[in-house]
């Protein structure tokens, strides 16, 4: 038993003897009365059979100094602090209530009590710190202050905060440190009094600018810090009133009013909550060479004079007042040189050195001088003299009369009634002028695009006409044209324009391929491809090159105008020449044209003179163009079958010629070979005889000198070898000639045999065709006579009866049946009943009969 009791003292729940140490307790439930009571140690508790230990042994709650705990459902106590029990001995509880317990003797928790907040150290609030407290229920504070639910207040340090069951800590608030030239901006969260005792409404804002620590109240919200603007001689503040109020200087400000704060008002300025800093304004400083114009200047009454202007000249420094602005900023004094001028326009009526100026008047101020415009005038333009060379110019337009003129070769300044005039040119002419293409050197590369430079349109248009070329300029105002022959420089008047040439180009010629401002006068050539058809319908493509030039005299106006009479002389000439060539080729067969193409084409182009000889040139009278030569570069069949047949014929002719030449050469070579062999044998015998003679002479001379013997022998051998080689070469050549002659004879015989065979074949085919035609004619005559005999045998009457026999049989059948009229139909063919009925009743007799 004692062993089980010791275990119970350690916390067992089913032991009979429970030893409770000091500062421990247990809860015992009486099973008869259902009452739970605490047993506090030190004590040895003997559990009865009707008792049950429901908790413990449990250590008492010990609260050290500066600590607290919160007990939920605390027991009820009387005025003396004793626990109250009901009639059954159960401790009475304040259900759903709490009790904050501070430092005291260790105490047990009665049945039903719980620790809502365990033993916790009390919160120490340091200096410049406060706790923001909120009441969760109505109660009266220890100092007698009545607190309502959701009331908030501060517990400021230094101090230790004692918790209350109806108070909760919302947050910890730390003081804001306000530095010099700084202010703290606050906002009221609800109607309250600030720390200075001034009433504040919800949402109101104010500033605290006292240097040091500031602890905001419970209903004060820190919006932020505002730093002061340090003002100097060169800086001012532009302020705006957000609402009507009286500022710190005692001036009443209306909502939306704007003003400046300068160093004269304050060295460091902190804007109030009712003030908005629009911008920091820097001082405007003018030197003695500067000026400015202020728009909407501030008057003496502090209001802007809208629509007015004020001129300020340097040296001077000033701040722009609210509403004022600079027109074009700070401007330098206009210093005009001798070659400069300024165009001025009056905007207000005024007197200028005794001259009355009205709004809209323009005049010019020439240099050299210094000029500052007044508020009654405005500068329209600044102009500088334009030095022009004798080959340079500008277009000037009088804005009053509209007249345009060209100023060339002088230094010129536009006056107030003049302006530069941009001369418009067609887009294609602009490209030709800016492309800088040499009409002669780059005439074959006209289609390539080159980078072009933009033209200053107010400058006089110039164009360099190259050598042996001409350009036409048309004056639309005077309605006349002039022609300039190169080399020369063309300068266009305001109403003059270039005559653009659009020439045909390419092979075959296509219109508008070449564009130019000048006409090349030749000599030059042009190439074209034309398609012709011979009399036997062989279509050929001819590539022809024509040499041409213009015949003209620069002193003749008629000749000059005639050069440009035909806009596209290339296309016109090629078409005319192609037409003549087609007509001539169409009258000859292909074989004749193939053999005499050059003569036929030259004759068709140039024509024949009185002596039936081809003329030397062909001239176009309209534009004085002369064609001097025609070069046939190529002739190709257009039809593929014709081209293949021609190619086969040429190859066959070449093959026959080659075979003939090979046979002739082979025959000639064999003949020459035989001759060479005979000559070689004769020469060999002759050489042997001569060698014997030489050998005899050699033996006679051997006694003279061994050196002479060796030298003579070597020379004789060399000469003999050379003669032998010469004879062999001649024999080989004669043999090759004999072989060639033999092959030629063989080829001629073969060609003759082929021609005879083809001729016999043609005769056979012709005879066969004649027999077929004769047979067809005789068969046609037999059929014709047969038909005539049949018609004559039957006779025309029998043929007519045969033709009408069907209808006659039907008529006889109806008459035999006694029917005067009948209508027979198959039921599907529609009938015209009107006409049918009329036919049916037509046979009836009239009523009077």
């Amino acid at each position: 038993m004692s062993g089980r009791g010791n275990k119970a003292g350690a916390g067992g729940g089913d032991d009979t003897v429970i030893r409770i140490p000091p500062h421990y307790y247990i809860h015992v439930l009486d099973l008869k009365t259902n009452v739970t009571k605490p047993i506090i140690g030190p004590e040895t508790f003997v559990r009865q059979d009707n008792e049950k230990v429901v908790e413990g042994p449990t250590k008492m709650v010990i609260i050290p100094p500066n600590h607290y705990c919160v007990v939920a459902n605390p027991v009820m106590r009387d005025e003396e602090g004793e626990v109250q029990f009901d009639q059954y001995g159960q401790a009475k509880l304040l259900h759903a209530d709490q009790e904050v317990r501070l430092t005291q003797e260790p105490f047990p928790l009665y049945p039903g009590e719980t620790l809502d907040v365990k033993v916790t150290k009390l919160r120490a609030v340091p200096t410049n710190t406060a706790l923001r407290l909120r009441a969760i229920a109505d109660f009266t504070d220890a100092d007698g202050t009545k607190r309502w639910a959701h009331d908030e207040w501060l517990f400021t340090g230094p101090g230790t905060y004692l918790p209350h069951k109806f108070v909760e800590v919302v947050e910890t608030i730390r003081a804001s440190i306000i530095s010099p030239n700084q202010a703290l901006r606050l906002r009221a969260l609800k109607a309250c009094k600030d720390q200075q005792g001034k009433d504040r409404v919800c949402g109101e804002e104010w500033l605290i600018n006292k240097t040091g620590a500031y602890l905001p109240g419970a209903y004060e919200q820190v919006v932020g810090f505002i730093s002061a603007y340090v003002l100097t001689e060169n800086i001012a503040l532009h302020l705006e009133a957000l609402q009507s109020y009286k500022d710190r200087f005692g001036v009443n400000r209306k909502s939306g009013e704007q003003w400046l704060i300068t160093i004269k008002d304050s060295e460091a300025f902190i804007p109030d909550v009712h003030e908005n800093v629009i911008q920091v304004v820097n001082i405007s400083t003018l030197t003695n060479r500067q000026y400015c114009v202020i728009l909407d200047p501030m008057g003496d009454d502090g209001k802007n004079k809208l629509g007015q202007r004020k001129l300020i000249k340097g040296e001077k420094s000033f701040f722009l007042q609210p509403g004022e602005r600079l027109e074009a900023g700070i401007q330098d004094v206009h210093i005009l040189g001798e070659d400069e001028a300024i165009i001025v326009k009056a905007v207000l009526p005024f007197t200028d050195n005794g001259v009355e100026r009205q709004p809209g008047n323009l005049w010019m101020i020439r240099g050299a001088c210094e000029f500052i415009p007044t508020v009654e005038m405005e500068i329209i333009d600044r102009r500088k003299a334009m030095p022009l060379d004798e080959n340079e110019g500008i277009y000037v337009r009088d804005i009053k009369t509209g007249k345009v003129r060209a100023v060339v070769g002088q230094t010129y300044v536009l006056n107030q009634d003049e302006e530069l005039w941009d001369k418009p040119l067609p887009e294609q002419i602009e490209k030709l002028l800016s492309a800088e293409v040499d009409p002669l050197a780059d005439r074959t590369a006209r289609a390539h695009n080159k980078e072009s430079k933009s033209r200053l349109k107010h400058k006089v248009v110039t164009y360099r006409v190259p050598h042996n070329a001409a350009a036409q300029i048309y004056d639309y105002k005077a309605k006349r044209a002039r022609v300039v022959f190169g080399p020369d420089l063309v300068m266009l008047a305001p109403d003059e324009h270039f005559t653009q040439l659009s020439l045909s180009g390419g092979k075959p010629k296509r219109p508008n391929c070449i564009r130019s401002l000048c006409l090349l006068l030749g000599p030059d050539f042009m190439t074209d491809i034309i398609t012709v058809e011979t009399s036997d319908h062989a279509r050929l493509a001819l590539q022809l090159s024509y040499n041409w030039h213009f015949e003209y005299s620069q002193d003749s106006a008629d000749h000059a105008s005639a050069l440009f009479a035909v806009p596209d002389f290339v296309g016109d000439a090629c078409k005319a020449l192609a037409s003549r060539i087609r007509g001539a080729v169409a009258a000859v067969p292909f074989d004749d044209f193939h053999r005499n193409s050059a003569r036929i084409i030259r004759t068709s182009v140039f024509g024949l003179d009185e002596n039936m000889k081809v003329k030397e040139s062909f001239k176009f009278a309209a534009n004085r163009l002369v064609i001097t030569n025609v070069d046939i570069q190529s002739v190709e069949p257009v039809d593929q079958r014709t081209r293949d047949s021609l190619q086969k014929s040429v190859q066959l002719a070449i093959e026959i010629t080659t075979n003939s030449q090979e046979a002739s050469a082979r025959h000639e070579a064999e003949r020459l070979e035989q001759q060479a062999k005979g000559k070689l044998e004769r020469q060999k015998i002759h050489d042997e005889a001569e060698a014997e003679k030489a050998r005899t002479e050699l033996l006679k001379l051997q006694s003279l000198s061994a050196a002479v013997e060796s030298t003579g022998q070597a020379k004789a051998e060399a000469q003999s070898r050379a003669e032998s080689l010469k004879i062999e070469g001649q024999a080989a050549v004669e043999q090759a000639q004999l072989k060639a002659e033999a092959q030629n004879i063989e080829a001629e015989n073969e060609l003759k045999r082929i021609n005879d065979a083809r001729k016999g074949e043609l005769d056979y085919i012709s005879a066969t065709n004649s027999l077929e035609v004769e047979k067809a004619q005789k068969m046609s005559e037999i059929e014709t006579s047969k038909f005539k005999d049949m018609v004559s045998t039957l006779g025309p009457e029998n043929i007519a009866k045969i033709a009408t026999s069907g209808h006659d049989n039907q008529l006889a059948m109806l008459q035999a049946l006694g029917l005067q009229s009948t209508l027979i139909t198959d039921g599907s063919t529609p009938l015209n009943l009107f006409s049918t009925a009329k036919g049916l009743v037509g046979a009836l007799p009239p009523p009077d009969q």
Side-chain angles (χ1 to χ4, degrees):
M1 286 292 291
S2 68
R4 289 194 297 271
N6 289 336
K7 283 185 178 181
D14 296 331
D15 293 334
T16 303
V17 178
I18 301 174
R19 294 178 177 84
I20 305 174
H23 301 301
Y24 280 79
Y25 68 94
I26 63 174
H27 288 172
V28 178
L29 173 64
D30 190 341
L31 299 177
K32 292 182 179 180
T33 61
N34 262 343
V35 174
T36 303
K37 61 182 179 179
I39 304 298
I40 302 174
E43 184 178 348
T44 299
F45 177 74
V46 179
R47 181 178 64 82
Q48 302 297 325
D49 291 339
N50 62 337
E51 293 177 339
K52 180 181 179 181
V53 177
V54 295
E55 182 183 351
T58 303
K59 190 175 182 180
M60 293 184 181
V61 178
I62 300 175
I63 304 177
N66 291 329
H67 287 71
Y68 76 99
C69 70
V70 178
V71 178
N73 304 321
V75 296
M76 297 178 62
R77 298 180 184 273
D78 56 11
E79 296 179 356
E80 296 179 358
E82 296 296 333
V83 177
Q84 296 183 4
F85 296 93
D86 58 9
Q87 58 183 352
Y88 303 106
Q90 179 75 41
K92 295 182 179 180
L93 300 178
L94 297 174
H95 292 284
D97 198 359
Q98 289 181 337
E99 181 182 353
V100 177
R101 297 180 184 180
L102 303 176
T103 302
Q104 56 181 297
E105 291 296 328
F107 61 89
L109 292 177
Y110 282 82
E113 290 184 334
T114 58
L115 276 180
D116 198 0
V117 177
K118 295 182 179 179
V119 177
T120 306
K121 188 175 182 180
L122 292 174
R123 183 179 298 184
V125 182
T127 306
N128 293 332
T129 307
L131 297 180
R132 187 177 179 183
L133 307 179
R134 180 186 295 158
I136 59 177
D138 299 341
F139 75 100
T140 301
D141 206 348
D143 56 359
T145 304
K146 183 66 176 179
R147 304 289 186 186
W148 304 96
H150 296 289
D151 276 354
E152 293 184 359
W153 67 97
L154 296 182
F155 178 83
T156 59
T160 301
Y161 171 68
L162 300 178
H164 192 278
K165 65 178 181 179
F166 295 129
V167 179
E168 64 176 353
V169 178
V170 179
E171 62 177 342
T172 301
I173 300 176
R174 290 177 175 80
S176 300
I177 308 301
I178 304 175
S179 305
N181 292 331
Q182 197 176 44
L184 184 66
R185 186 170 183 170
L186 303 178
R187 180 186 293 124
L189 299 178
K190 62 180 292 187
C192 63
K193 286 187 178 182
D194 62 8
Q195 296 184 10
Q196 286 78 26
K198 188 175 180 180
D199 292 330
R200 302 292 182 181
V201 297
C202 181
E204 183 180 356
E205 295 183 358
W206 67 96
L207 296 181
I208 302 296
N209 51 16
K210 183 178 179 181
T211 303
Y214 180 80
L215 195 62
Y219 298 109
E220 297 176 355
Q221 179 185 6
V222 176
V223 179
F225 287 94
I226 299 178
S227 299
Y229 290 89
V230 179
L231 304 180
T232 63
E233 297 290 342
N234 298 325
I235 296 177
L237 284 183
H238 183 184
L239 303 181
E240 180 184 12
L242 300 178
Q243 67 181 34
S244 299
Y245 77 107
K246 179 182 290 187
D247 65 8
R248 69 190 65 181
F249 303 110
V251 180
N252 291 322
R253 303 292 184 183
K254 295 182 179 180
S255 178
E257 183 179 353
Q258 298 180 5
W259 69 97
L260 285 185
I261 298 295
T262 62
I263 194 173
K264 296 179 181 179
D265 300 320
S266 175
E267 293 183 357
F269 181 79
I270 299 176
D272 199 355
V273 294
H274 305 301
E275 299 170 348
N276 178 32
V277 177
I278 297 179
Q279 63 178 347
V280 177
V281 181
N282 294 318
I283 195 169
S284 299
T285 303
L286 303 178
T287 65
N288 59 353
R289 315 299 297 172
Q290 292 178 329
Y291 74 97
C292 67
V293 177
I294 299 177
L295 301 178
D296 303 331
M298 184 76 73
D300 297 335
D301 56 355
K303 297 182 180 180
N304 295 96
K305 297 180 180 180
L306 301 178
Q308 295 188 13
R309 303 164 71 227
K310 180 180 179 182
L311 176 65
I312 298 180
K313 301 178 182 180
E315 299 175 356
K316 190 173 184 180
S317 298
F318 62 94
F319 289 105
L320 284 177
Q321 296 296 324
E324 294 181 344
R325 64 185 189 277
L326 292 180
E327 183 183 47
I330 297 176
Q331 305 178 56
D332 294 331
V333 175
H334 297 276
I335 301 176
L336 303 180
E338 294 181 354
D339 58 344
E340 293 180 321
I342 287 181
I343 305 300
V344 182
K345 179 181 179 181
V347 296
L348 295 173
F350 72 103
T351 302
D352 181 18
N353 296 327
V355 179
E356 294 292 336
R357 303 289 187 185
Q358 296 298 324
N361 287 351
L362 295 173
W363 68 98
M364 177 183 288
I365 298 176
R366 297 179 179 271
C369 66
E370 294 182 358
F371 177 71
I372 297 177
T374 62
V375 295
E376 293 86 3
M377 65 180 71
E378 64 178 356
I379 296 177
I380 301 299
D381 191 13
R382 181 166 182 164
R383 295 177 178 176
K384 190 173 183 179
M386 292 174 282
L388 303 174
D389 188 47
E390 60 181 2
N391 292 331
E392 295 179 335
I394 57 174
Y395 297 111
V396 179
R397 179 176 177 267
D398 192 322
I399 59 177
K400 288 185 176 180
T401 62
K403 184 178 180 181
V404 181
R405 60 191 179 91
V407 178
V408 180
Q410 59 177 313
T411 301
Y412 190 76
V413 181
L414 298 175
N415 61 33
Q416 68 275 8
D417 296 327
E418 294 177 341
E419 65 179 1
L420 292 175
W421 179 73
D422 293 339
K423 180 176 178 60
L425 290 176
E427 181 180 0
Q428 190 62 38
I429 294 181
E430 288 278 8
K431 291 181 180 179
L432 293 174
L433 288 174
S434 58
E436 297 182 356
V437 176
D438 188 349
L440 183 60
D442 299 334
R443 66 185 187 279
T444 59
R446 296 290 180 84
H448 300 288
N449 293 325
K450 295 186 177 181
E451 295 183 359
S452 59
K453 300 179 181 178
S454 58
R455 177 181 66 90
L456 295 178
K457 296 186 178 181
H458 64 270
K459 286 193 173 184
V460 171
V461 180
T462 59
Y463 179 72
R464 292 178 176 85
V465 182
H467 176 70
N468 202 23
Q472 187 183 47
I473 297 93
Y474 188 80
D475 190 337
Y476 285 91
K477 185 175 182 181
K479 295 183 179 180
R480 65 172 179 269
R482 60 187 177 98
V483 178
V484 178
F485 292 94
D488 200 353
L489 179 68
V490 177
M491 302 183 71
L492 293 187
D495 298 313
E496 289 183 339
H497 285 274
F498 288 104
T499 298
Q500 179 186 348
L501 298 177
S502 297
L503 305 178
S504 298
K507 294 182 291 185
K509 286 292 180 281
R510 300 187 306 274
N512 301 326
C513 288
I514 301 175
R515 299 180 183 273
S516 177
L517 298 180
C518 66
L519 176 65
L520 300 179
L521 301 177
D524 206 340
F525 68 92
M526 53 188 175
T527 305
D528 191 14
I529 297 176
I530 63 174
T531 302
V532 298
E533 187 173 355
T534 61
S535 60
D536 50 359
H537 305 292
R539 302 182 72 240
L540 305 173
L542 307 181
Q543 181 170 337
L544 307 176
S545 179
Y546 310 105
N547 289 19
W548 58 270
H549 68 274
F550 285 96
E551 285 187 354
Y552 66 95
S553 174
Q554 295 187 9
D555 300 331
S556 176
D558 295 336
H559 289 187
S561 60
L563 294 177
F564 295 88
V566 179
D568 184 5
F569 77 93
V570 175
D572 184 72
C574 288
K575 289 178 182 178
L577 296 176
S579 176
R580 296 168 69 95
I581 294 172
R582 290 192 190 98
V585 174
V588 296
F590 172 72
D591 292 337
D592 293 345
F593 177 75
H594 188 64
R595 291 192 296 268
N596 305 310
S597 58
R599 181 180 58 79
I600 294 173
I601 292 175
R602 290 183 60 85
T603 302
S604 62
V605 172
F606 300 114
L608 300 176
D609 57 7
E610 296 81 1
N611 300 325
M612 300 305 293
K613 292 183 179 181
V614 180
K615 296 180 180 180
E616 296 296 330
S617 63
F618 177 73
K619 182 177 181 182
F620 291 90
N623 60 347
R624 306 189 67 80
L625 176 66
V626 179
I627 306 297
T628 58
N629 189 24
V630 179
D631 180 18
I632 305 173
Q633 296 181 345
S634 67
V635 178
E636 294 182 358
V638 176
D639 188 7
Q640 184 64 31
R641 290 180 298 177
T642 305
R643 184 183 293 117
D644 295 341
S645 299
L646 181 61
Q647 187 174 4
K648 289 180 180 178
S649 299
V650 173
Q651 290 178 355
L652 182 60
I654 294 173
E655 185 177 357
I656 291 172
T657 305
T658 304
N659 293 334
S660 176
Q661 291 178 355
E662 288 180 357
S664 300
R666 186 168 56 254
H667 178 70
E668 183 66 21
E670 292 176 355
R671 184 180 65 80
L672 294 177
E673 184 179 3
Q674 295 297 328
Q675 292 179 358
K677 286 182 179 180
K679 289 181 180 180
L680 182 60
E681 291 297 331
R682 291 195 301 271
Q683 186 67 31
K684 187 182 295 185
I685 296 171
H686 182 269
D687 290 340
E688 288 177 356
E690 292 295 330
E692 289 298 328
K693 292 180 181 180
R695 191 177 295 109
T696 303
E697 294 295 330
L698 180 61
L699 291 174
K700 292 180 181 180
L701 297 174
Q702 281 181 351
S703 59
L704 297 177
S705 175
V708 174
E709 180 183 1
S710 60
T711 303
Q713 184 179 359
K715 182 176 181 181
E717 290 179 357
Q719 289 179 353
S720 174
R721 193 180 300 111
E723 290 294 333
S724 175
L725 292 176
K726 180 177 179 181
I727 294 169
E728 289 179 357
Q730 291 176 354
V733 171
E734 292 177 356
Q735 183 180 2
Q737 291 177 354
L738 292 174
K739 287 183 179 180
E741 290 178 358
Q743 290 179 355
N744 189 12
I745 294 170
E746 290 180 359
E748 289 177 354
N749 293 332
E750 182 66 20
L751 181 60
K752 183 177 180 181
R753 185 188 65 80
I754 292 173
N755 290 335
D756 293 340
R758 288 182 178 177
K759 184 177 180 181
E761 184 178 357
L762 290 175
D763 292 340
Y764 171 75
I765 292 172
S766 177
T768 304
N769 292 336
S770 299
L771 292 174
E772 291 292 336
V773 171
E774 184 178 356
K775 179 181 178 182
Q777 289 177 354
K778 289 183 178 181
M779 290 299 294
S780 176
E781 291 175 357
I782 292 170
E783 290 294 332
T784 303
S785 61
K786 178 181 178 182
F787 183 76
K788 288 181 179 180
D789 294 340
M790 290 175 64
V791 171
S792 61
T793 303
L794 292 175
E797 295 179 357
N798 293 330
I799 293 174
K801 289 180 180 182
I802 292 172
T804 59
S805 61
H807 295 284
D808 293 342
N809 291 335
Q810 293 176 2
L811 181 60
M813 186 184 296
L814 291 175
Q815 290 176 356
L817 294 174
L819 298 178
Q820 295 180 352
S821 178
T822 183
L823 176 64
I824 301 174
T825 179
D826 57 359
S828 61
T829 304
L831 300 176
N832 188 348
L833 296 180
F834 292 100
S835 59
T836 304
K838 183 177 179 182
L840 290 175
V841 301
L844 296 178
D848 54 354
Q849 297 178 1

